[in-house]
Amino acid sequence: MKQSTILVLAVLLLASWGCQEPVDENKPVWPPDLGEWLNMESAGHNEIRDMILIPEKEVIIAACAPETFGTGLRTFNYKSSEWIETSSVNSVNHIFPNIDRFGDSIYATQFMNQNEPGSIWVSHDLGETWAETVTLPEQADPRCLILRKQGEQTEIMLGTVNRGIFITTDNGENWTQPSKTTDDPGIQCFARNTGNQDHLLVGTRQGVCESKDGGKTWEPVTSRLDMEKFLVVDIEAHPHVADEFYCIYRNSIGKAFVKRSTDG
């Protein structure tokens, strides 16, 4: 994860913290200096691609690249300031680009490498144990995912770097693709509007696309950002404000920018 991505995530997380009720002294609090733990020697070269806060356990779970010491999923206890090995994930040689929480379950995507296919690792106990329980589409290289409840089922929307978007409601037994999809199959990230669960944005290697029907169809919205085609690094929705998004992207010479939308 690039420094600019970490900065925007930190701003959003801190903003969401400020919108909550006054802090109870008996409850875990956000660590005072996010940058301090990201530079700790025990985390190897800090090839952290994504992270998620688990306040119930006073930890942050980081999705990492293989250069990072230990496995691709690492847990940091921000009370004791130490990294904890995730022993149930045997994935030293894999890159984990994305991690997301849905209730008490956590889902992490793992890129394919030369010898093994990609996968989705799932924990139903807030990161204590992990298993590969989702069957992926054939030859799909997973990059990111986003989840929501559909009746009694959990819908997984998967973004791949080589085959576009897939959707399943039966843990991967059956996958469908949108009837109208993105122009670029290289999906980078998803974001869901806080005020409308059917309103989604997806970042690709060539810009941003939008869906207003829960991911069934997609339309490009790159022109709204007043830029030519560009690589989207990340998109985040404000956790408490409807229609507010933040987009991090890079232009053709590698310069990074952040744009904000307050009307979706």
Side-chain angles (χ1 to χ4, degrees), residues 48-62:
I48 297 172
R49 301 300 181 91
D50 200 3
M51 57 188 176
I52 191 167
L53 174 69
I54 311 295
E56 301 96 319
K57 293 182 175 290
E58 299 180 350
V59 300
I60 295 169
I61 301 178

Side-chain angles (χ1 to χ4, degrees), residues 170-187:
D170 55 14
N171 229 32
E173 291 297 319
N174 298 280
W175 291 92
T176 59
Q177 288 194 282
S179 58
K180 187 175 183 181
T181 188
T182 59
D183 294 335
D184 179 20
I187 306 302

Side-chain angles (χ1 to χ4, degrees), residues 69-230:
F69 174 77
T71 61
L73 291 174
R74 298 279 294 178
T75 301
F76 180 78
N77 186 303
Y78 58 77
K79 283 293 187 180
S80 60
S81 296
E82 61 180 347
W83 289 95
I84 304 166
E85 193 71 50
T86 307
S87 58
S88 62
V89 181
N90 182 19
S91 56
V92 176
N93 296 319
H94 292 273
I95 296 175
F96 281 78
N98 180 241
I99 188 167
D100 197 12
R101 177 176 179 177
F102 191 70
D104 289 337
S105 298
I106 303 172
Y107 292 71
T109 55
Q110 174 189 292
F111 277 146
M112 66 169 58
N113 64 18
Q114 294 180 349
N115 302 315
E116 299 179 42
S119 62
I120 297 175
W121 290 79
V122 183
S123 172
H124 294 298
D125 52 15
L126 295 179
E128 292 291 332
T129 58
W130 295 84
E132 296 176 273
T133 59
V134 179
T135 304
L136 290 183
E138 185 176 355
Q139 297 300 313
D141 194 358
R143 170 64 177 84
C144 54
L145 53 76
I146 193 165
L147 306 116
R148 70 170 176 174
K149 203 70 174 174
Q150 287 283 66
E152 296 299 317
Q153 300 172 315
T154 299
E155 178 190 88
I156 302 173
M157 185 175 297
L158 177 68
T160 72
V161 297
N162 59 345
R163 295 190 60 197
I165 297 171
F166 291 85
I167 301 172
T168 182
T169 56
D170 55 14
N171 229 32
E173 291 297 319
N174 298 280
W175 291 92
T176 59
Q177 288 194 282
S179 58
K180 187 175 183 181
T181 188
T182 59
D183 294 335
D184 179 20
I187 306 302
Q188 301 296 306
C189 54
F190 288 112
R192 175 173 280 121
N193 192 333
T194 301
N196 181 356
Q197 293 294 291
D198 285 332
H199 183 202
L200 299 159
L201 295 182
V202 61
T204 75
R205 293 171 298 194
Q206 297 185 21
V208 178
C209 291
E210 173 186 62
S211 173
K212 292 187 176 181
D213 54 14
K216 296 182 179 66
T217 59
W218 296 86
E219 295 286 348
V221 296
T222 302
S223 59
R224 294 189 209 164
L225 295 170
D226 193 28
M227 287 289 293
E228 298 297 327
K229 293 181 178 180
F230 51 83

